[in-house]
mmCIF file of all heavy atoms in Angstrom:
data_model
loop_
_atom_site.group_PDB
_atom_site.id
_atom_site.type_symbol
_atom_site.label_atom_id
_atom_site.label_comp_id
_atom_site.label_asym_id
_atom_site.label_seq_id
_atom_site.Cartn_x
_atom_site.Cartn_y
_atom_site.Cartn_z
ATOM 1 N N ARG A 1 -45.025 9.060 -39.975
ATOM 2 C CA ARG A 1 -45.493 7.902 -39.218
ATOM 3 C C ARG A 1 -46.603 7.094 -39.954
ATOM 4 O O ARG A 1 -47.293 7.585 -40.801
ATOM 5 C CB ARG A 1 -46.054 8.357 -37.860
ATOM 6 C CG ARG A 1 -44.982 9.019 -37.025
ATOM 7 C CD ARG A 1 -43.902 8.034 -36.720
ATOM 8 N NE ARG A 1 -42.878 8.640 -35.850
ATOM 9 C CZ ARG A 1 -41.959 7.972 -35.241
ATOM 10 N NH1 ARG A 1 -41.882 6.660 -35.371
ATOM 11 N NH2 ARG A 1 -41.108 8.567 -34.509
ATOM 12 N N ARG A 2 -46.656 5.815 -39.599
ATOM 13 C CA ARG A 2 -47.698 4.924 -40.243
ATOM 14 C C ARG A 2 -48.681 4.486 -39.162
ATOM 15 O O ARG A 2 -49.727 3.914 -39.583
ATOM 16 C CB ARG A 2 -47.003 3.705 -40.865
ATOM 17 C CG ARG A 2 -46.156 4.007 -42.007
ATOM 18 C CD ARG A 2 -45.544 2.769 -42.565
ATOM 19 N NE ARG A 2 -44.533 3.126 -43.574
ATOM 20 C CZ ARG A 2 -44.728 2.816 -44.831
ATOM 21 N NH1 ARG A 2 -45.857 2.186 -45.197
ATOM 22 N NH2 ARG A 2 -43.844 3.106 -45.761
ATOM 23 N N ASN A 3 -48.449 4.746 -37.940
ATOM 24 C CA ASN A 3 -49.350 4.300 -36.904
ATOM 25 C C ASN A 3 -50.464 5.362 -36.713
ATOM 26 O O ASN A 3 -50.157 6.569 -36.578
ATOM 27 C CB ASN A 3 -48.574 4.212 -35.589
ATOM 28 C CG ASN A 3 -49.417 3.564 -34.480
ATOM 29 O OD1 ASN A 3 -50.645 3.584 -34.500
ATOM 30 N ND2 ASN A 3 -48.709 2.937 -33.552
ATOM 31 N N VAL A 4 -51.710 4.937 -36.768
ATOM 32 C CA VAL A 4 -52.830 5.868 -36.693
ATOM 33 C C VAL A 4 -52.841 6.612 -35.435
ATOM 34 O O VAL A 4 -53.102 7.872 -35.454
ATOM 35 C CB VAL A 4 -54.157 5.065 -36.919
ATOM 36 C CG1 VAL A 4 -55.334 6.065 -36.749
ATOM 37 C CG2 VAL A 4 -54.193 4.431 -38.230
ATOM 38 N N LEU A 5 -52.468 6.035 -34.309
ATOM 39 C CA LEU A 5 -52.441 6.775 -33.052
ATOM 40 C C LEU A 5 -51.360 7.850 -32.969
ATOM 41 O O LEU A 5 -51.647 8.978 -32.489
ATOM 42 C CB LEU A 5 -52.214 5.755 -31.893
ATOM 43 C CG LEU A 5 -52.462 6.212 -30.474
ATOM 44 C CD1 LEU A 5 -53.896 6.729 -30.318
ATOM 45 C CD2 LEU A 5 -52.163 5.128 -29.528
ATOM 46 N N VAL A 6 -50.226 7.555 -33.526
ATOM 47 C CA VAL A 6 -49.220 8.636 -33.561
ATOM 48 C C VAL A 6 -49.580 9.725 -34.487
ATOM 49 O O VAL A 6 -49.364 10.914 -34.240
ATOM 50 C CB VAL A 6 -47.811 7.937 -33.977
ATOM 51 C CG1 VAL A 6 -46.774 9.013 -34.165
ATOM 52 C CG2 VAL A 6 -47.367 6.936 -32.977
ATOM 53 N N ILE A 7 -50.207 9.391 -35.646
ATOM 54 C CA ILE A 7 -50.644 10.484 -36.568
ATOM 55 C C ILE A 7 -51.748 11.302 -35.841
ATOM 56 O O ILE A 7 -51.706 12.498 -36.000
ATOM 57 C CB ILE A 7 -51.234 9.824 -37.849
ATOM 58 C CG1 ILE A 7 -50.125 9.190 -38.637
ATOM 59 C CG2 ILE A 7 -51.974 10.826 -38.679
ATOM 60 C CD1 ILE A 7 -50.553 8.365 -39.814
ATOM 61 N N TYR A 8 -52.636 10.664 -35.122
ATOM 62 C CA TYR A 8 -53.622 11.389 -34.388
ATOM 63 C C TYR A 8 -53.014 12.347 -33.396
ATOM 64 O O TYR A 8 -53.467 13.514 -33.226
ATOM 65 C CB TYR A 8 -54.569 10.339 -33.703
ATOM 66 C CG TYR A 8 -55.794 10.998 -33.192
ATOM 67 C CD1 TYR A 8 -56.754 11.539 -34.013
ATOM 68 C CD2 TYR A 8 -56.063 10.937 -31.808
ATOM 69 C CE1 TYR A 8 -57.889 12.151 -33.444
ATOM 70 C CE2 TYR A 8 -57.175 11.504 -31.288
ATOM 71 C CZ TYR A 8 -58.094 12.117 -32.142
ATOM 72 O OH TYR A 8 -59.177 12.681 -31.572
ATOM 73 N N MET A 9 -52.032 11.888 -32.621
ATOM 74 C CA MET A 9 -51.329 12.741 -31.679
ATOM 75 C C MET A 9 -50.646 13.899 -32.387
ATOM 76 O O MET A 9 -50.606 15.002 -31.859
ATOM 77 C CB MET A 9 -50.358 11.973 -30.812
ATOM 78 C CG MET A 9 -51.043 11.018 -29.816
ATOM 79 S SD MET A 9 -49.960 10.296 -28.631
ATOM 80 C CE MET A 9 -48.862 9.316 -29.683
ATOM 81 N N SER A 10 -50.065 13.615 -33.518
ATOM 82 C CA SER A 10 -49.424 14.702 -34.236
ATOM 83 C C SER A 10 -50.398 15.752 -34.789
ATOM 84 O O SER A 10 -50.159 16.914 -34.732
ATOM 85 C CB SER A 10 -48.701 14.127 -35.465
ATOM 86 O OG SER A 10 -47.659 13.243 -35.053
ATOM 87 N N LEU A 11 -51.561 15.307 -35.182
ATOM 88 C CA LEU A 11 -52.632 16.225 -35.565
ATOM 89 C C LEU A 11 -53.071 17.101 -34.375
ATOM 90 O O LEU A 11 -53.273 18.349 -34.526
ATOM 91 C CB LEU A 11 -53.826 15.545 -36.139
ATOM 92 C CG LEU A 11 -53.676 14.934 -37.509
ATOM 93 C CD1 LEU A 11 -54.872 14.078 -37.835
ATOM 94 C CD2 LEU A 11 -53.554 16.052 -38.524
ATOM 95 N N GLU A 12 -53.181 16.529 -33.210
ATOM 96 C CA GLU A 12 -53.510 17.321 -31.994
ATOM 97 C C GLU A 12 -52.359 18.272 -31.659
ATOM 98 O O GLU A 12 -52.697 19.426 -31.221
ATOM 99 C CB GLU A 12 -53.759 16.345 -30.836
ATOM 100 C CG GLU A 12 -54.991 15.547 -30.936
ATOM 101 C CD GLU A 12 -56.272 16.343 -30.977
ATOM 102 O OE1 GLU A 12 -56.290 17.365 -30.194
ATOM 103 O OE2 GLU A 12 -57.230 15.998 -31.682
ATOM 104 N N LEU A 13 -51.149 17.947 -31.919
ATOM 105 C CA LEU A 13 -50.037 18.831 -31.683
ATOM 106 C C LEU A 13 -50.092 20.043 -32.605
ATOM 107 O O LEU A 13 -49.864 21.159 -32.168
ATOM 108 C CB LEU A 13 -48.701 18.035 -31.879
ATOM 109 C CG LEU A 13 -47.429 18.821 -31.459
ATOM 110 C CD1 LEU A 13 -47.432 19.144 -29.977
ATOM 111 C CD2 LEU A 13 -46.234 18.008 -31.853
ATOM 112 N N MET A 14 -50.474 19.763 -33.868
ATOM 113 C CA MET A 14 -50.657 20.848 -34.787
ATOM 114 C C MET A 14 -51.795 21.793 -34.424
ATOM 115 O O MET A 14 -51.663 23.026 -34.512
ATOM 116 C CB MET A 14 -50.937 20.291 -36.229
ATOM 117 C CG MET A 14 -49.752 19.581 -36.844
ATOM 118 S SD MET A 14 -50.121 18.623 -38.300
ATOM 119 C CE MET A 14 -50.679 19.903 -39.421
ATOM 120 N N LEU A 15 -52.864 21.174 -33.869
ATOM 121 C CA LEU A 15 -54.036 22.051 -33.439
ATOM 122 C C LEU A 15 -53.570 22.893 -32.276
ATOM 123 O O LEU A 15 -53.979 24.067 -32.172
ATOM 124 C CB LEU A 15 -55.138 21.108 -33.083
ATOM 125 C CG LEU A 15 -56.465 21.774 -32.660
ATOM 126 C CD1 LEU A 15 -57.016 22.538 -33.836
ATOM 127 C CD2 LEU A 15 -57.483 20.734 -32.206
ATOM 128 N N ASN A 16 -52.827 22.319 -31.312
ATOM 129 C CA ASN A 16 -52.409 23.114 -30.193
ATOM 130 C C ASN A 16 -51.405 24.205 -30.576
ATOM 131 O O ASN A 16 -51.361 25.230 -29.968
ATOM 132 C CB ASN A 16 -51.849 22.164 -29.153
ATOM 133 C CG ASN A 16 -52.888 21.429 -28.443
ATOM 134 O OD1 ASN A 16 -53.973 21.937 -28.182
ATOM 135 N ND2 ASN A 16 -52.601 20.162 -28.044
ATOM 136 N N ALA A 17 -50.563 23.974 -31.591
ATOM 137 C CA ALA A 17 -49.722 25.017 -32.070
ATOM 138 C C ALA A 17 -50.526 26.180 -32.649
ATOM 139 O O ALA A 17 -50.201 27.376 -32.416
ATOM 140 C CB ALA A 17 -48.763 24.427 -33.154
ATOM 141 N N ALA A 18 -51.554 25.899 -33.378
ATOM 142 C CA ALA A 18 -52.354 26.961 -33.925
ATOM 143 C C ALA A 18 -53.076 27.742 -32.695
ATOM 144 O O ALA A 18 -53.249 28.961 -32.759
ATOM 145 C CB ALA A 18 -53.499 26.344 -34.865
ATOM 146 N N ASN A 19 -53.490 26.962 -31.692
ATOM 147 C CA ASN A 19 -54.144 27.592 -30.516
ATOM 148 C C ASN A 19 -53.107 28.523 -29.852
ATOM 149 O O ASN A 19 -53.515 29.612 -29.419
ATOM 150 C CB ASN A 19 -54.613 26.578 -29.554
ATOM 151 C CG ASN A 19 -55.891 25.886 -30.013
ATOM 152 O OD1 ASN A 19 -56.622 26.379 -30.832
ATOM 153 N ND2 ASN A 19 -56.169 24.757 -29.418
ATOM 154 N N LEU A 20 -51.869 28.131 -29.761
ATOM 155 C CA LEU A 20 -50.889 28.930 -29.128
ATOM 156 C C LEU A 20 -50.687 30.233 -29.911
ATOM 157 O O LEU A 20 -50.540 31.314 -29.317
ATOM 158 C CB LEU A 20 -49.579 28.160 -29.056
ATOM 159 C CG LEU A 20 -48.357 28.957 -28.488
ATOM 160 C CD1 LEU A 20 -48.586 29.435 -27.029
ATOM 161 C CD2 LEU A 20 -47.097 28.170 -28.577
ATOM 162 N N ALA A 21 -50.624 30.145 -31.231
ATOM 163 C CA ALA A 21 -50.498 31.356 -32.041
ATOM 164 C C ALA A 21 -51.661 32.271 -31.874
ATOM 165 O O ALA A 21 -51.541 33.512 -31.818
ATOM 166 C CB ALA A 21 -50.326 30.908 -33.509
ATOM 167 N N LEU A 22 -52.917 31.657 -31.823
ATOM 168 C CA LEU A 22 -54.110 32.538 -31.631
ATOM 169 C C LEU A 22 -54.079 33.258 -30.342
ATOM 170 O O LEU A 22 -54.430 34.432 -30.230
ATOM 171 C CB LEU A 22 -55.362 31.692 -31.788
ATOM 172 C CG LEU A 22 -55.784 31.288 -33.156
ATOM 173 C CD1 LEU A 22 -56.929 30.308 -33.119
ATOM 174 C CD2 LEU A 22 -56.241 32.566 -33.944
ATOM 175 N N VAL A 23 -53.741 32.546 -29.251
ATOM 176 C CA VAL A 23 -53.607 33.176 -27.926
ATOM 177 C C VAL A 23 -52.530 34.258 -27.905
ATOM 178 O O VAL A 23 -52.732 35.310 -27.318
ATOM 179 C CB VAL A 23 -53.415 32.114 -26.835
ATOM 180 C CG1 VAL A 23 -53.119 32.777 -25.523
ATOM 181 C CG2 VAL A 23 -54.676 31.311 -26.714
ATOM 182 N N ALA A 24 -51.415 33.993 -28.524
ATOM 183 C CA ALA A 24 -50.360 35.013 -28.569
ATOM 184 C C ALA A 24 -50.800 36.255 -29.275
ATOM 185 O O ALA A 24 -50.537 37.345 -28.819
ATOM 186 C CB ALA A 24 -49.118 34.380 -29.202
ATOM 187 N N PHE A 25 -51.386 36.104 -30.434
ATOM 188 C CA PHE A 25 -51.898 37.309 -31.137
ATOM 189 C C PHE A 25 -52.917 38.037 -30.363
ATOM 190 O O PHE A 25 -52.948 39.259 -30.377
ATOM 191 C CB PHE A 25 -52.462 36.838 -32.552
ATOM 192 C CG PHE A 25 -51.434 36.669 -33.577
ATOM 193 C CD1 PHE A 25 -51.350 35.433 -34.326
ATOM 194 C CD2 PHE A 25 -50.522 37.682 -33.911
ATOM 195 C CE1 PHE A 25 -50.416 35.224 -35.261
ATOM 196 C CE2 PHE A 25 -49.571 37.447 -34.917
ATOM 197 C CZ PHE A 25 -49.520 36.247 -35.600
ATOM 198 N N SER A 26 -53.803 37.226 -29.730
ATOM 199 C CA SER A 26 -54.845 37.861 -28.961
ATOM 200 C C SER A 26 -54.282 38.675 -27.796
ATOM 201 O O SER A 26 -54.710 39.771 -27.434
ATOM 202 C CB SER A 26 -55.783 36.746 -28.389
ATOM 203 O OG SER A 26 -56.751 37.346 -27.551
ATOM 204 N N ARG A 27 -53.261 38.121 -27.123
ATOM 205 C CA ARG A 27 -52.646 38.790 -25.985
ATOM 206 C C ARG A 27 -51.918 40.080 -26.421
ATOM 207 O O ARG A 27 -52.018 41.060 -25.744
ATOM 208 C CB ARG A 27 -51.641 37.782 -25.273
ATOM 209 C CG ARG A 27 -50.771 38.421 -24.224
ATOM 210 C CD ARG A 27 -51.518 38.756 -22.999
ATOM 211 N NE ARG A 27 -50.602 39.151 -21.919
ATOM 212 C CZ ARG A 27 -50.361 40.450 -21.656
ATOM 213 N NH1 ARG A 27 -50.959 41.403 -22.351
ATOM 214 N NH2 ARG A 27 -49.495 40.807 -20.646
#
């Protein structure tokens, strides 16, 4: 993507994916 807002949302999606992995390992 070239739109800054879409890139920003994609970065947040990546951060939430990492959070999901951390919670799964923790559980």
Side-chain angles (χ1 to χ4, degrees):
R1 297 299 182 165
R2 294 180 186 248
N3 190 336
V4 175
L5 191 58
V6 175
I7 291 173
Y8 189 65
M9 288 190 300
S10 297
L11 286 171
E12 290 295 324
L13 188 64
M14 292 168 63
L15 185 65
N16 286 326
N19 285 341
L20 176 62
L22 282 171
V23 169
F25 279 125
S26 175
R27 169 73 173 97

